[in-house]
Each structure stands twice: as C-alpha cells, then as structure tokens.
Amino acid sequence: MSVFSSDSLLKGLIVSAVLCCAVPAISWGASSDPGTAGPATSTLPQGAVILKSLPAKPVDPARGNSNIPGTAPDPSTSGTNPNRPSHGRKPPRSVFYRLNALCLTEGARLRLTGKGFSQAREGQFSLSLKDGLKERMLPLLSRTETEIVTELPRGFSLDYGKKYQLLLKAGGLLVAGEGNRARFEKCAVNVTPEQIKPSPDLYVAGEVLILLPKILFNQLAIDQMKTDLVQEGYQVLKESNLASLGFVLLQMRIPSGTQEEAILQALKGRYPNATIDYNHRNQLSGSPRIYADKLINRATMTGGCPVLQNADLAVGVIDGGVDLKHQALQGQRDIRTAGFAHGGAGLPKPSDHGTAITVLFKGNNAAGGYSGLLPKAPIFVADILTQKTGKPFAATSSFVEGLNWLVGRKVKMINMSLEGPRNLVMNQALDKMIDRDIYLFAAAGNGGKQALPPFPAAHPAVMGVTAVDRDMNIYRKSTPGGHVDFSAPGVMLWLAKAGGKGSYRSGTSFAVPYVIAKSAYLIKKTPALMTGQGRVGITAALSEEVIDLGEAGRDPVFGQGLIQFSSC
C-alpha cells in the first residue's frame, strides 16, 4: 500500500516538477526505459566498437530477394517489370507501434515509432490529439521509415486526470498498430493540488471534515457552530476529541442537494481558523522462498543480532485489523488493537493487510517463514480500514482518530501503510508530529511512474519507503519522487493473511517495517537519536549504511538507497 502539511511544507509539491515519468533524469535501472522521451544523443562506453554495416547485395527486381538463401520473394515487387512506372501500386503497410512517452506536456516533442512511414506519399499522413469527441490536429515535423516526430504546441490546454489519444491516420483511415489504442494523461509537472479536482470515488460522498484547534475553539464555540450548521441542514455524524493532537474533529453530512466542492469553499470562508476538507478515501499500499533478510544482511537466528532482538520501543501501526489467532503470532501478548473504521462500531476487524504488517514485526514462526523484525517491541494497531461494502478504504477521519490514539499510547514510531491524495485535515494533524519525538514512516505508493507523490509519505514529517525485489530492481508499480527516502524489500514477500494463511504479495507497504526495524536498532544503540534530533537525525543515521542504487547519491526512485543491517 498502500494521506498531508501546510503548503509551505508540502514536500510532494516541491518535487512534482520531476515526477513526470517521461523525464530522463529518473533512472529506472541498468538500461534505459524505451518508453521515455529524451534527446537523441548517445554516449559510447569505453571500449565500445562501432560495427560498419555491409553493403546490401544487388536484388533482382524480377525475383525479389531470391538471391538471399532462405528468403521468400517480396510480394510488392515479385513478377513486376522493373521499367514499369510505380504509379498505382500500394506502398508497404504502415504500422504505429507506440508513442515514446508515458504522459503528455504542453510544448513537448513526441516520437511515434513504427514502420512503413517513409514509403507513404507526402500529405498522406495526418496526426491528431483526441479528447472525447474532439480532435485537434498536430504538426508532422519529420518522418523516417520508423519514426514520426510531432509537437504539442504550448497553446494546447491539457487537463490533469483526463485521458487523451494520439491518432495517426493514412488517407483518412487509422493506421494499424497498438499506438492508436493507447491513452495518455497530462504529466504531473507543475500540477498543484488546487488544480486537481478529486473524482467522487476518491472521497466519501456527502461528507466534509472540520478540524478545530482547541487553542482557538472552546467547547462552547464548537457547540454553537454545530447548532448553526444543523439549522442549515447539516448533520453531525461524529465529534471526535483528539486530545493527544490538540484538536476536535467534526465529521459532517452536508445538506441534501448540495455539492461537496461548493460546501468546502463556503465553510472555509465562514470559519477561516478551521481546517476543512473532503473525507478522502485512502487505499492500503501486498517452505516459502525467503530473500528479504539476506538482501538487507539481517540475521534471523536467535541471538544473531541481540540489539535488534531486544529492541523494545513501542511501535504504532495504522492499517487494517489483525488476526491475533494466526499461527505466526502464537504466544505474543503485547499486541493491542483499536477500531476506527468509518461508520464502524469501534471494534477492530481482522484483515489480510494488517495481519501481514503485524506479523512482519512480531512473527515468531521461523519454520513457517514468519520471523519477526522486532519480536519484543509492543505493537499498537489502529484499525482504520472500512471493509463493509465495495473496495476497502481508509477514511481521512479514521486516520486522524487512529493517529491520535497512537500518540496517546506513547509509541515511538508509527508505520503507515496507506496512500491517498493531499488532505488539509490530515496535513494539519501530521504538522503536530514535527516537533514530537515520534518517527513516522509511510509507503511511498503503488501508483506507478505517472502518479503524484501520495500522502502521508509526501508530508515533510514522514519518511517515505519504496520497495525493491530480490535483484534490487525497483518495484514496477512504485511511485517515484522526492518523497522517497529509503528502499527495502517489498516484492514477492511471503506474508501472513487473516485466517491463518500466507501468500506471496508485493507493495511498498511491506517495505516500511524493515526501515522501522533498522531505526529501532539505531535508537537502541544510540538513545540520543530519540530526543532533540528529529527526522533529520534518524535519516542521517540510516543513510550511513545503505546500498546506493540507481543514480549516485539520493535519487527519486530509490531514495538514499537500500537499507542494510551489516553492523548488526
């Protein structure tokens, strides 16, 4: 799995200019991504040899390519008179394979790859950008046998989140190939949250959240606000006293016949000292083959790493519920859970995802492939996952309530394996964590190369963790960006499931516990890291022992690198 800060602290926006997947500054591994657009330059490595192509053998037009053993005659020339004019003969069939870009930007040059482009007569091809039923013509700047170059003029207005098609036609008919079927979105370059209007499936319909700082709103003022809003058709669904964070959260149903966007603007103007936003839906960010411990040099045998085995810092988990009866947790007594699911009765409910994360920390069945990273650490699990109907989701209101509960439990580190859009209410709650001696870690996201940095990982108080496989390659669905701080194993891990089962799953969610475990190890060895140094101190300590992957130094794909336990 796998949502937030004031605008001045918003780390996701600081790096959004490099997030577009087509930029060549992002390294995706040893070889370049064929789907990225960039300048047509190349640098030969030392010792490289340029092979000179041999001249082609003469071809007998009457026999096609029959002078080459094992080849069939060319049907376009076989049986024809070489002196006969070519007028009236069909050119070889053109095929549009792909557009060498993953997203679209105004003013960008685009390359279409395929075959048979140079054989067509001048003016035969036409190129357009389709938006719904509307098509806008594009210029053909150049073409060769296998490539056509075009440009999106800067005057084009592209909307983020909308799907576009690039259509290549010959004689008014679509050229064959997959290229015409592909759909593209606007690149997430210089896109601000205010320009992104969430689709209805990203938030709980008919609800808004009002976060009130207790220092500015006493209970009398809050009660008067509720009375006024109820008289205007609002309904108070829930009032949460977030004492550990210093807020009161009102979960409101808006008047019937009104739209969330209009309500938000009206309430923000009316209550400028409150933080008001949608109630966003956030998503969880999933003898066995075990490679993770070897990849990070973590000893799993008893006593192999005494510091890690005896680390007892309390860890909080914001996720789904846990199957406490799972065989991997037998004998574990220091796991506490509480329920905060949207519309729930306050009772935690076992989930596959929450069980997997908890067993990664507390598993005590090495024979079954479950060897806990922090077997002696108390674990507190805030179940914020709504599983009643449709696709499970974690409401922003549930997240804030769960965070408040964990702070009250005096946890030292919090694992947040979820991802979602920027939300002002969540950002305000996370802002409160910056000056506390609590470390926050979150999944860097499974949205892919085109996605915006997700929250809470993109918040400056949070460390974002991405996933790599056993060969140290980045997880194919991971979201790159400046929010990525570290890498850890997270692809095809053997993980526990509710009901006593297990399965192989992948996701940036499952990489987060490894970075938390290494942080616990460092704090246990150097207690001063727990006080006064904040996120900067632990980040520097973690960075001292990593494998640098991708570009030299920190990069938006792997962050600082793959964490290691070499000194354990």
Side-chain angles (χ1 to χ4, degrees):
M1 153 178 77
S2 301
V3 208
F4 294 83
S5 158
S6 61
D7 289 344
S8 61
L9 294 177
L10 185 56
K11 176 171 60 175
L13 292 182
I14 295 174
V15 299
S16 63
V18 297
L19 183 59
C20 175
C21 320
V23 293
I26 297 178
S27 171
W28 297 103
S31 60
S32 61
D33 185 341
T36 58
T41 62
S42 62
T43 302
L44 291 174
Q46 186 175 4
V49 178
I50 302 177
L51 297 179
K52 199 170 184 180
S53 59
L54 297 175
K57 294 183 179 180
V59 178
D60 181 355
R63 299 177 59 197
N65 290 329
S66 57
N67 59 315
I68 304 176
T71 62
D74 183 350
S76 65
T77 59
S78 180
T80 62
N81 186 334
N83 297 319
R84 181 177 177 180
S86 61
H87 178 71
R89 286 190 299 167
K90 293 183 179 179
R93 186 186 187 197
S94 300
V95 182
F96 175 20
Y97 291 142
R98 68 184 64 87
L99 175 68
N100 283 5
L102 297 178
C103 53
L104 305 177
T105 303
E106 295 91 337
R109 289 207 169 189
L110 305 173
R111 294 184 296 123
L112 291 67
T113 58
K115 68 176 183 179
F117 293 157
S118 65
Q119 302 298 325
R121 295 188 300 273
E122 191 70 28
Q124 183 179 14
F125 284 130
S126 64
L127 188 62
S128 62
L129 186 69
K130 185 177 180 182
D131 167 15
L133 299 177
K134 182 174 61 176
E135 288 189 37
R136 292 180 283 181
M137 301 305 297
L138 298 177
L140 273 66
L141 302 181
S142 65
R143 61 174 172 145
T144 64
E145 173 65 18
T146 59
E147 180 180 278
I148 289 177
V149 177
T150 186
E151 183 179 62
L152 289 179
R154 293 191 179 277
F156 267 40
S157 176
L158 301 176
D159 296 325
Y160 183 79
K162 184 175 289 187
K163 300 289 186 181
Y164 297 91
Q165 280 181 281
L166 205 66
L167 302 180
L168 179 64
K169 298 180 181 180
L173 300 177
L174 284 177
V175 171
E178 292 296 321
N180 279 320
R181 300 184 182 94
R183 297 176 183 272
F184 304 89
E185 293 184 3
K186 179 179 179 178
C187 297
V189 177
N190 298 326
V191 176
T192 65
E194 290 73 17
Q195 294 174 301
I196 304 173
K197 294 181 180 180
S199 58
D201 60 341
L202 292 181
Y203 58 84
V204 181
E207 289 188 17
V208 296
L209 300 179
I210 304 177
L211 191 67
L212 305 170
K214 286 188 171 184
I215 195 172
L216 299 177
F217 293 86
N218 58 28
Q219 192 58 48
L220 183 63
I222 294 172
D223 290 341
Q224 184 61 53
M225 176 189 293
K226 292 189 296 182
T227 299
D228 294 342
L229 292 175
V230 168
Q231 290 177 350
E232 297 171 15
Y234 291 84
Q235 178 185 354
V236 181
L237 298 176
K238 190 175 184 180
E239 178 179 341
S240 301
N241 180 15
L242 308 179
S244 298
L245 298 176
F247 293 108
V248 170
L249 178 66
L250 299 180
Q251 185 178 332
M252 308 291 295
R253 182 172 297 283
I254 65 177
S256 59
T258 59
Q259 296 295 320
E260 292 87 351
E261 185 178 0
I263 289 294
L264 287 176
Q265 298 306 317
L267 289 177
K268 287 177 180 179
R270 184 172 176 180
Y271 303 110
N273 293 323
T275 302
I276 305 169
D277 209 334
Y278 297 93
N279 196 3
H280 279 112
R281 295 172 179 258
N282 307 288
Q283 305 303 323
L284 299 177
S285 269
S287 135
R289 301 186 303 275
I290 306 298
Y291 74 87
D293 291 314
K294 182 178 180 180
L295 194 66
I296 60 176
N297 287 309
R298 170 181 167 265
T300 58
M301 69 290 294
T302 302
C305 183
V307 174
L308 195 60
Q309 292 288 326
N310 296 316
D312 55 1
L313 296 174
V315 176
V317 175
I318 298 181
D319 209 292
V322 183
D323 178 7
L324 296 174
K325 297 181 180 180
H326 197 285
Q327 58 177 334
L329 297 175
Q330 290 179 2
Q332 292 287 15
R333 301 180 182 275
D334 51 356
I335 302 174
R336 302 288 183 270
T337 63
F340 302 95
H342 180 269
L347 298 175
K349 181 180 179 180
S351 69
D352 290 344
H353 202 279
T355 300
I357 296 296
T358 303
V359 170
L360 278 171
F361 285 119
K362 300 288 289 181
N364 62 351
N365 185 347
Y370 308 112
S371 179
L373 292 160
L374 297 171
K376 291 191 177 180
I379 301 293
F380 295 87
V381 182
D383 176 11
I384 68 169
L385 185 63
T386 297
Q387 306 181 64
K388 295 185 298 182
T389 58
K391 185 177 181 180
F393 70 93
T396 299
S397 54
S398 301
F399 175 90
V400 175
E401 290 172 341
L403 181 65
N404 176 75
W405 178 73
L406 291 177
V407 172
R409 306 285 80 74
K410 310 298 183 184
V411 300
K412 297 302 182 183
M413 292 175 285
I414 299 180
N415 184 113
M416 301 179 289
S417 296
L418 69 155
E419 59 179 286
R422 175 179 180 265
N423 182 282
L424 297 177
V425 170
M426 182 175 283
N427 269 3
Q428 192 73 9
L430 290 171
D431 283 349
K432 286 286 187 178
M433 309 299 294
I434 292 178
D435 297 326
R436 296 176 182 260
D437 295 329
I438 300 176
Y439 293 125
L440 306 178
F441 305 80
N446 304 327
K449 303 174 186 178
Q450 289 182 261
L452 288 168
F455 286 83
H459 190 281
V462 180
M463 257 182 274
V465 182
T466 194
V468 298
D469 63 17
R470 64 189 306 163
D471 297 318
M472 302 187 193
N473 296 316
I474 195 68
Y475 177 42
R476 63 183 180 85
K477 293 184 179 180
S478 65
T479 301
H483 66 294
V484 179
D485 291 295
F486 293 96
S487 305
V491 180
M492 291 302 287
L493 299 182
W494 177 253
L495 300 168
K497 297 178 66 176
K501 301 176 182 179
S503 66
Y504 290 103
R505 279 172 282 167
S506 302
T508 57
S509 291
F510 308 124
V512 179
Y514 291 96
V515 179
I516 289 181
K518 180 58 186 289
S519 300
Y521 164 80
L522 293 170
I523 292 169
K524 191 71 175 179
K525 286 189 65 178
T526 311
L529 286 173
M530 196 66 253
T531 58
Q533 297 191 42
R535 181 179 180 279
V536 176
I538 195 68
T539 300
L542 285 167
S543 302
E544 291 179 0
E545 197 173 25
V546 297
I547 296 178
D548 190 4
L549 303 175
E551 299 175 4
R554 179 171 181 173
D555 65 74
V557 179
F558 299 97
Q560 301 283 1
L562 176 64
I563 58 114
Q564 294 289 292
F565 287 83
S566 302
S567 60
C568 187

